[in-house]
């Protein structure tokens, strides 16, 4: 599907994400996480910055001519970015609030964007020892405890009552209204981009995000889920969630669906 992305990059991205995860865990083990507050009142830690440095340095070695956009380097002008045909979009530590809470539900996210689409992505959860990765034309996998599992896994929901994934730290009024329309359901709460990964794993069916996210929050996990056969659609239009099509980096509301859910 991609004219630019090389299949051999996927394994290298897993290695890069793992190295970034090691940098995060070195700080996770300390008493002082180095937490400061950014201008938008969101937290950032020493681990965010350490992971950012690892990923940017390694991607520069892998693809020196492909630009990188990171949550921790957001000063790229739209007039420059709008002309990018492809680029790396990263969130060095997705789920900073989960990291600060020390609940393990945080990830390293690395995505490759071509045109307006997330073509490939890696989502690595170092505490859980789970690495989800995929590319649209070749499929998706989960690497865990030394095993590599092809995604999607078999549907384990025999009741057909949808298992809805919600945010651990970012509840929204829109979600409550959406759930009232669903009827019977089961709710699962988890942090970071792991919500998409639960769908790819066959452990949940629907992830409605009726609250604000940024493009780096979703790209890698969307690539994994879509590589596994799932869908991520804008809530108001049912158009696929896309990237680098406007000056701001906020996503519209969206609904993600597991591969096995119609």
């Amino acid at each position: 599907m991609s004219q630019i992305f090389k299949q051999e990059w996927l394994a290298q991205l897993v290695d890069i994400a793992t190295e970034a995860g090691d940098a995060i865990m070195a700080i996770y083990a300390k008493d002082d996480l180095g937490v400061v507050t950014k201008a938008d009142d969101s937290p950032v830690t020493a681990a965010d910055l350490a992971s950012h440095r690892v990923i940017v340095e390694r991607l520069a070695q892998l693809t020196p001519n492909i630009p990188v956009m990171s949550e921790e380097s957001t000063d790229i002008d739209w007039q420059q970015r709008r002309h990018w045909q492809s680029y790396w979009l990263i969130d060095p530590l997705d789920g900073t609030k989960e990291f600060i809470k020390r609940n393990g539900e945080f990830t390293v996210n690395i995505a490759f964007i071509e045109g307006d689409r997330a073509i490939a992505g890696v989502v690595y959860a170092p505490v859980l020892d789970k690495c989800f990765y995929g590319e649209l034309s070749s499929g998706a996998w989960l690497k865990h405890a030394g095993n590599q599992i092809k995604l999607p896994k078999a549907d384990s929901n025999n009741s057909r009552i949808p298992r809805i994934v919600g945010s651990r730290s970012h509840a929204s009024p829109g979600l409550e209204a959406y759930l009232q329309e669903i009827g019977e359901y089961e709710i699962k709460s988890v942090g970071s981009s792991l919500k998409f990964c639960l769908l790819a794993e066959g452990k949940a069916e629907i992830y409605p995000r009726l609250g604000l996210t940024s493009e780096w929050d979703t790209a890698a996990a969307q690539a994994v889920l879509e590589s596994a056969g799932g869908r991520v659609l804008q809530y108001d239009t049912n158009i696929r969630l896309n990237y680098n099509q406007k000056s701001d980096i906020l996503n519209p509301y969206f609904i993600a669906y597991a591969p096995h859910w119609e």
Side-chain angles (χ1 to χ4, degrees):
M1 180 173 291
S2 171
Q3 301 300 310
I4 300 172
F5 188 86
K6 299 179 180 179
Q7 291 296 321
E8 60 265 28
W9 289 354
L10 201 55
Q12 295 178 72
L13 292 183
V14 171
D15 290 342
I16 293 171
T18 302
E19 185 177 334
D22 290 343
I24 289 171
M25 293 306 292
I27 295 169
Y28 196 60
K30 298 179 179 179
D31 292 333
D32 182 4
L33 299 179
V35 182
V36 297
T37 302
K38 295 191 286 189
D40 63 357
D41 290 330
S42 64
V44 64
T45 72
D48 294 76
L49 302 177
S51 177
H52 167 84
R53 286 190 291 268
V54 168
I55 298 170
V56 170
E57 179 179 327
R58 290 289 306 276
L59 289 178
Q61 295 170 356
L62 179 66
T63 57
N65 297 320
I66 296 178
V68 177
M69 185 173 180
S70 168
E71 181 178 8
E72 307 310 330
S73 61
T74 60
D75 56 349
I76 301 169
D77 187 82
W78 166 240
Q79 295 306 318
Q80 173 187 354
R81 180 166 56 87
R82 67 187 299 184
H83 298 294
W84 290 354
Q85 297 303 305
S86 62
Y87 65 103
W88 298 105
L89 181 58
I90 67 175
D91 189 342
L93 201 171
D94 183 37
T96 299
K97 291 184 177 180
E98 316 309 329
F99 177 83
I100 294 170
K101 294 175 184 175
R102 298 182 186 271
N103 66 16
E105 294 177 352
F106 54 84
T107 59
V108 176
N109 295 351
I110 307 174
F112 186 79
I113 309 298
E114 185 171 329
D116 68 349
R117 191 162 192 188
I119 294 292
V122 174
V123 176
Y124 176 51
V127 172
L128 306 180
D129 185 29
K130 286 188 170 185
C131 187
F132 301 85
Y133 55 100
E135 191 270 331
L136 292 180
S137 65
S138 59
W141 295 266
L142 164 62
K143 185 177 181 180
H144 177 54
N147 298 313
Q148 182 173 282
I149 303 165
K150 178 75 171 179
L151 298 176
K153 293 174 69 175
D155 176 19
S156 58
N157 182 15
N158 297 319
S159 68
R160 304 306 294 174
I161 296 173
R163 295 166 294 182
I164 310 295
V165 183
S167 175
R168 178 79 73 191
S169 299
H170 301 277
S172 69
L175 176 60
E176 294 302 322
Y178 174 83
L179 293 176
Q180 289 180 7
E181 299 176 0
I182 291 290
E184 192 175 3
Y185 62 87
E186 176 187 341
I187 191 75
K188 290 173 170 277
S189 295
V190 67
S192 73
S193 56
L194 289 169
K195 292 181 281 294
F196 290 93
C197 299
L198 284 180
L199 304 185
E201 274 195 282
K203 293 183 176 180
E205 281 68 53
I206 306 173
Y207 167 33
R209 187 53 183 254
L210 308 181
L212 294 179
T213 56
S214 296
E215 293 186 3
W216 49 67
D217 293 319
T218 58
Q222 179 177 354
V224 170
L225 178 57
E226 291 185 345
S227 296
R231 297 168 294 150
V232 184
L233 305 177
Q234 296 179 37
Y235 181 61
D236 53 350
T237 65
N238 275 344
I239 297 172
R240 184 187 69 247
L241 189 66
N242 54 31
Y243 295 87
N244 205 39
Q245 299 301 296
K246 53 187 177 19
S247 60
D248 72 84
I249 47 77
L250 293 177
N251 289 318
Y253 294 175
F254 62 84
I255 311 285
Y257 299 94
H260 61 269
W261 194 255
E262 298 297 330

